[in-house]
Amino acid sequence: MIIEEITVENWRGYRDSHTFKFCNGVNLLTGRNEAGKSTLFEALTRVLFDRHNAKTEEIRAIQPIGSTLGPKACVQFEAGGRRYRAVKQFLQEPKSALYSERGGNWERDHEGDDADARLRAILRGEATARMAARPEHRGLAQALWYLQSDGAIPEKAWSDGVKQGLQGLVELAARTPVEAAVVGRVGERYDEYWTPTGRIASNSELGRLQAELPRLEEELTGLLDKAKSVDSHRADLEEIQASEAEKRKAREKAKAEADELSARVQQAEALDRECEERRRVKNAAVEKAQRLEEHLTQVEDKRKKIRKCAAEAKELEESLADATVDARSEEHARDRHARRWKEELEPALKALEAELQGLHALERLRKLEKEGKRLQQHLDKVAEIEEQCEARKKAYAELVAPDDKEWKRFGAASKKLSVLRAQVEASAIRVAFEWTGKARKVKTNPALRASEDHEYLVAEPTEFQIEGVGTVHVRSNASALKDLLTERDKVEQEVRQLLTRFGVSDEDGVAALHERGRDLAKAISTLEQSLEETEEAEPDAKAELERIKRGIQEETRAARTLPPEAREKGGQWIRGQIDEKERVKKRVISEIDDEQKAERAAAENLLKLVEARQATTYKLAARRAEIGTHEANITEILETYGTLERLGNLVAASKEEVRQATESLDRLLTEYEEKVITPKRLYEQAQNRVQELDKQLSDLATKIAATLARIEESAAQGNYSQLADAQIEIEWKRRRVELLKCRAEGAKLLHCLVLAHEKQRSAALSGPIQAIVDRWLRLLTEDSYDALRVDLDLKPTGVHMVRYNRDLPFPSLSHGAQEQVVVLLRLAIAVLVSETEPNLVLIDDRLVNADSVRMKRLCLIIEEAAKSCQIVIATCNDTPYAGLGAHTVRVPGDGTDGEAPS
Amino acid sequence: MAVTFLHTADWQMGMKALQAGEKAKEVRAKRFETAARVVELAKREGVAFVLLAGDLFEHYDVDEAVVRKTVALLDSFSPIRVFVLPGNHDPLIAGGIWDRQSWQRVGDHVTLLCESAEFHVREEVVLYPAPLKQKQSTLDPTAWMPARATGDDRIRIGVAHGALDLLPKRTNFPISATRADEAGLDYLALGDWHSFMQQGRTVYSGTMEPTSFSEKDPGNVSIVEISGARSEPVVSRHHLGALRWSEHEALIGDVSDVEELRRVILRLGPLPAQLLRITPQFDPAAPPEALGELRSLRDELQKESFHLDWPFETLDALPETPVILPEGLLADIDEGLGAILEGRIPEGPAREAASEAPEVLQEARALLRRLVAEAHR
């Protein structure tokens, strides 16, 4: 298919109708940026592949801003040797029509949806729902049209339209609908089981079962472990029971042994009795020998003690005589000392004390007399102050004088009276009558009294009735004056009352009285203070004086023991006498103490000597008694045996008897050891073994019970049925997994076979394309890259680097190089599919990143491709394409207004 | 002198019933119901005693509830005496089932035969039990049974559990087929073989309720009447089993094969009592109608039977309609798979699939044909 012309109207920037014409070979669609180049390509695709009644956002965006008219376009093209004209209007009054040329005339063949469907059939496009057609819906144009809105290569495979176009070339049978459906279903079935990376899909039944099985197997393992644990208990139990059987056997053996030994012991009972008899004889002999030996020892011991007691008694008797002599000597000394302090020193001390008592009394008498005199003087002074104070108080009581408060009140009233009087004087209306002729009698209502100056002081409306003349009415500020007068009278009365009370006539009198009262009060206060201070100096002076008087009487009586002349002496003499007597007294007391100490020492010595003599006497008596006891004991012991010598003989005989009994017993014991002791010991050992085994058997019985309990506990938990249920679940799920795995593997195998066949087919498809592209690639890159690598879907995966003999992944190429390679690929496809009929190639400004050298080479390649197909290149800069000799189509935005409007 | 007793064995109480899948619990419960019918039969027939010749329990680890229910069942035999022989599933081992307290509570009329020694049932009837004390052995447990002494006119009955040496591929606890004659036994009651089998005086009663798909004639107990010493025992078989287990590997060539399969199954008894395992084999030339019929049969069995082991996926082997493979890729793949299945190495990409397992190749080919058939619809 090649395009001849396109007309657009109301299409984005093309509000008016514009027609653009294209020729075979290379067409350069030039114009500035946003001039409308891509808009023309868009109009081309929408007219040829979109439903005319589509109303998606993309279609709505075509309508010029502010316009309500439907976008409209007409494309005239040639395909399959026939010329067609497709007309479509979108949105408002949408319509579609397909015309074909017959005999130079255009005839409308299809309208509406039929026209759309026929167009898609001609161009191998695919139907869409209500949306705008995507690149994959454009059939072969998906590969040949490289628009701004399209990616460099499709995300998925090339559309079937592209493949069909290529299949025709390589003479492979086209894919039938059945094959397409089956291949699609094979992929779907594969996807049911497998992920794109070849793993079992986790959301498939197989995936879920495979994920579930390990958990179930783990649970089963746990249950099997429990079962093994029970088996282990059972093995333990078996061992324990074997051990129990062994021990039971051992016990039976030990019991039999014990029984046999017990019989042997019973058989040796006579020997046992003989042995007992000899043991008794021996014990009796030993007892007798011990008793005799004990008696002999006792006698000898007591004789030793008697000798010892006699020696001690003799020593005690000598000691007793010495003690008696010493006691007498100490008794004499004690009596001598006692006589001296009692008969000589104590009377002398008493006489001295009597004399000293009198001297002390005399000395205290003198002091009391002096103190009594001082107190009497003090009392006299107090009496004098009291008398003066009483006199002042009496005068003050007799005086009638104002106190400070009354004085202040009087002063205030007097002062206020003066003020009121002055105010009355200033405010009052004075009415005076001067008579010419005889004075007339004036009568006032209310009644007023004339002053000394014959003036009436009018304080209120007053009617003056003048005899024989008439009546005069006087009015003034009467109410205020009247109040003043009332106040003045009140104060005057108060002043008068005070003067009357104090018996004076004026204010001076009151002042004099007030001054006198104040003087008397002050004198009384002074005297009372003096009296208080004097009394406080000696508060109990009277009582003290009385006590002193009584002391004087007592001391006077005490001093009567002194001679009369001494009682007349003064204090100094008395003090000298007292000191002298005290010294003598002290010396006498000392001598008394010495004598008393000596007396007590002698008495104590005497007492000790008496006590020692007493003790010695007691000891002596004890020794004598002990000797008697010992002698009695010896007599008692020897009473049985006669003499001590006989007793000694008996002892020797009994020892011999013991020796013989012992020898006899030992001989028998040797035989007894052999026949009785050893069997008895063995019997006890056997019995112990039996007991020990009984204990062990009891322990084993406990262990057996415990192990059985553990086994039973496991059974009670239902482990076996749980295990069965788990095994069943796993078994059935495993079977299901096996079945599904077989199905999955079958689906996978089929999928792989489909892919392998498709790969084979793709290799057949891609071979011729790669041959062209590789040649162009070498030209473009000056042999840097010599081959393009493509996958099964003819999508570029990399380029081969000659220098390194390695493949460079496609994404590693620069953006410009990627675009150039894609352009080469699309051009190669176009060349191949255009062998029988030229096809349109659109390149929307895709080579802007090529440098000038590469651009020249690209131009050579485009020129070669244009020999078999129509190429339209949109560009804003036609300079790089200058050497192409291309037909230039300018868009209106370029200022040339393009081709002439249709 | 005559004696009549009931001979049963292999009750396998508490068995796992792995093959019964989700119906395993119900299968276990059915055994108790059948055992109750054995009790009824024993009382109805007025037998002197019951011989349980081993494997009363499936395992010595079975749940406590199973032991308690079994003990209750045995108690219900009272006053009929019951002699229980430990088998290879429930041998007399330390800590085994017979040590359980719940077993110890069984009634006095139940006797566990613990010793390989003559046991007097009554004056003129003696038992020669051969209790098993381990799970496996290659020794004949009946070897100890003494020959009949001259003048011994008692009825001598052997009780044992093991495989008669006549049985193929069974070596555990082998029992001599001539034991009854050699020991002068009037009857040798055996357990272990789940189907009924009589060989002279030697009899397997079989299990009273089937346990798997592989058993031929299970579900029976025997009533044995012996009129006197050395007389022939009269054995009457009583079928008490509730369930019927059967396995079918039908070759489906056309619709009539499906019909035959249906008839065979229905002849076995009512479907609600049947456990079925079906693995149909398809003739590649089988018509699609046969598949349709087979699907119908499966739906019917799935709905009606006690348990059906027949995955629906096995019916995907063939498409329901004839398939015409279009020329090109699909035909090439089908041809390649067919070549490998026939043992040839194909040309082209299918060569890579030559090492695949046949079932995978079959599955891939079946899937391809199904998808083509679907695409044609």
Side-chain angles (χ1 to χ4, degrees), chain A residues 234 712 721 735-736 743, chain B residues 61 63 94 101 309 313 316:
Chain A
R234 204 167 272 124
E712 295 225 6
S721 59
R735 280 180 58 188
R736 185 79 189 146
R743 293 177 75 84
Chain B
D61 278 341
D63 297 352
Q101 289 182 6
D309 181 3
E313 285 86 353
D316 285 345

Side-chain angles (χ1 to χ4, degrees), chain A residues 721-774:
Chain A
S721 59
Q722 287 174 30
L723 183 65
D725 293 343
Q727 284 174 332
I728 288 167
E729 189 175 3
I730 285 178
E731 173 61 23
W732 282 79
K733 286 191 171 164
R734 278 180 183 155
R735 280 180 58 188
R736 185 79 189 146
V737 164
E738 284 307 311
L739 193 146
L740 290 172
K741 270 171 86 174
C742 184
R743 293 177 75 84
E745 290 296 336
K748 189 177 184 181
L749 175 59
L750 189 57
H751 180 67
C752 289
L753 287 172
V754 168
L755 288 180
H757 278 84
E758 290 226 307
K759 187 177 178 184
Q760 191 180 37
R761 177 184 288 171
S762 294
L765 289 172
S766 63
I769 295 171
Q770 276 186 296
I772 297 172
V773 174
D774 291 352

Side-chain angles (χ1 to χ4, degrees), chain A residues 42 80 336 353 409 430 522 557 593 600 611 729 752 815 870:
Chain A
E42 179 194 43
R336 188 176 66 247
E353 283 179 342
R409 183 182 158 209
R430 294 173 187 277
K522 190 174 180 182
R557 275 196 300 274
D593 284 345
R600 279 197 298 275
E611 284 172 354
E729 189 175 3
C752 289
H815 178 67
Q870 182 191 36

Side-chain angles (χ1 to χ4, degrees), chain A residues 220 223-224 227 231 718-729 731-732, chain B residues 11-29 31-32 57-63 66 89 135 194 210-212 245 275:
Chain A
L220 180 63
L223 291 166
L224 287 170
D231 283 341
N719 190 48
Y720 191 77
S721 59
Q722 287 174 30
L723 183 65
D725 293 343
Q727 284 174 332
I728 288 167
E729 189 175 3
E731 173 61 23
W732 282 79
Chain B
W11 282 17
Q12 315 283 142
M13 292 305 198
M15 65 175 267
K16 291 179 178 175
L18 297 179
Q19 293 175 331
E22 60 190 8
K23 290 296 184 73
K25 282 181 184 166
E26 290 178 48
V27 165
R28 291 171 207 154
R31 304 192 77 76
F32 285 97
F57 294 103
E58 167 73 6
H59 195 272
Y60 38 67
D61 278 341
V62 294
D63 297 352
V66 171
H89 278 253
K135 285 179 81 77
H194 286 195
T211 62
S212 75
W245 297 51
L275 286 90

